[in-house]
Amino acid sequence: MSEIIRIDELEFVKLIESREIKRRIELMSTIMTEDLEDSDPLFLVVLNGAFIFGADLVRKFHFECDIEFINANSYDGMERKDVKGVNAGDLHFVKDRNVVVVEDIVDSGHTIECILEACKANGAKTIRIAAFLSKPSAFTKEMDIDYVGFEIAPQFVIGYGLDYNGKGRNLKDIYQIRPIME
Ligand code: IMP
Ligand code: MG
């Protein structure tokens, strides 16, 4: 029987195993190294959700780079809210840099759009996106994500940094919400 994680009244079932995650990040980092190794990139890790993905990814790189953090938060439970905490004024350090935004998941795309705008407004030289997960069918407009870990269906997921009301971030695998049986 597959393992079930319970948080509050909800049940989650395993979607992506940690072994598969490791393999995928290895491959992503190889591709990213080819693209980025000579550009002294600045990795902009979006907190809180991308803290594990960001940590695993940047430790694969053996070239010179900077790592900075930005806080963006748009979810309350499973309900999407307006993005709070993306403040263009905080991003002065992206000026003239080759920026790679490191996100846990792109859902509607609203958060990443706000961050891209803020990077542009602060004079980033180039901007790329690395997202661990992507839900393309939830995008509200067409989006070009440079590096994607896994494309998933538009269901709510937790684990590997992603949370439900603050819980589940520590899980090493990705779990998806289990539909409630009638
Ligand atoms: P977007 O602005 O709709 O693209 O939402 C992106 C942000 O919402 C991500 O950075 C996550 O922090 C959060 N988010 C979106 N989908 C999920 C999910 O399935 N589980 C946990 N957090 C999510
Ligand atoms: Mg996030």
Side-chain angles (χ1 to χ4, degrees):
M1 217 185 106
S2 73
E3 189 191 349
I4 291 171
I5 300 284
R6 292 194 175 78
I7 301 175
D8 299 336
E9 72 292 1
L10 301 176
E11 293 186 342
F12 296 85
V13 290
K14 206 176 277 185
L15 179 68
I16 310 170
E17 290 267 359
S18 65
R19 247 178 308 138
E20 211 181 322
I21 294 173
K22 276 208 183 92
R23 270 202 302 269
R24 184 65 198 156
I25 288 182
E26 189 72 54
L27 185 66
M28 280 179 96
S29 68
T30 305
I31 295 166
M32 290 175 76
T33 295
E34 279 176 23
D35 288 357
L36 303 166
E37 60 187 343
D38 298 320
S39 67
D40 186 19
L42 184 148
F43 294 99
L44 183 60
V45 180
V46 184
L47 299 175
N48 296 333
F51 80 109
I52 293 182
F53 173 51
D56 280 352
L57 191 64
V58 296
R59 284 180 298 167
K60 299 276 179 209
F61 299 139
H62 302 291
F63 51 81
E64 200 173 310
C65 64
D66 287 88
I67 302 162
E68 292 283 354
F69 303 90
I70 184 172
N71 211 294
N73 188 345
S74 60
Y75 262 73
D76 180 8
M78 284 192 291
E79 253 172 79
R80 197 178 294 136
K81 303 278 182 211
D82 287 341
V83 180
K84 298 169 281 203
V86 179
N87 179 354
D90 290 338
L91 289 179
H92 60 278
F93 48 77
V94 305
K95 190 165 171 42
D96 298 330
R97 299 299 304 268
N98 295 306
V99 176
V100 183
V101 180
V102 179
E103 249 292 31
D104 54 354
I105 185 164
V106 180
D107 183 9
S108 69
H110 190 59
T111 304
I112 204 77
E113 216 180 291
C114 291
I115 295 170
L116 293 183
E117 284 308 312
C119 287
K120 277 184 207 154
N122 280 269
K125 188 168 153 196
T126 62
I127 311 169
R128 291 180 168 88
I129 303 169
F132 174 61
L133 299 174
S134 161
K135 299 178 185 169
S137 51
F139 290 0
T140 48
K141 60 165 139 163
E142 212 169 296
M143 230 170 331
D144 202 7
I145 306 179
D146 302 270
Y147 312 104
V148 180
F150 301 92
E151 289 193 347
I152 61 169
Q155 291 130 334
F156 197 79
V157 292
I158 57 167
Y160 198 69
L162 291 115
D163 73 306
Y164 169 65
N165 279 344
K167 300 283 190 290
R169 290 194 199 279
N170 56 305
L171 299 166
K172 65 180 172 42
D173 309 296
I174 290 287
Y175 290 79
Q176 78 176 29
I177 185 104
R178 186 155 107 145
I180 293 161
M181 302 295 170
E182 293 295 317

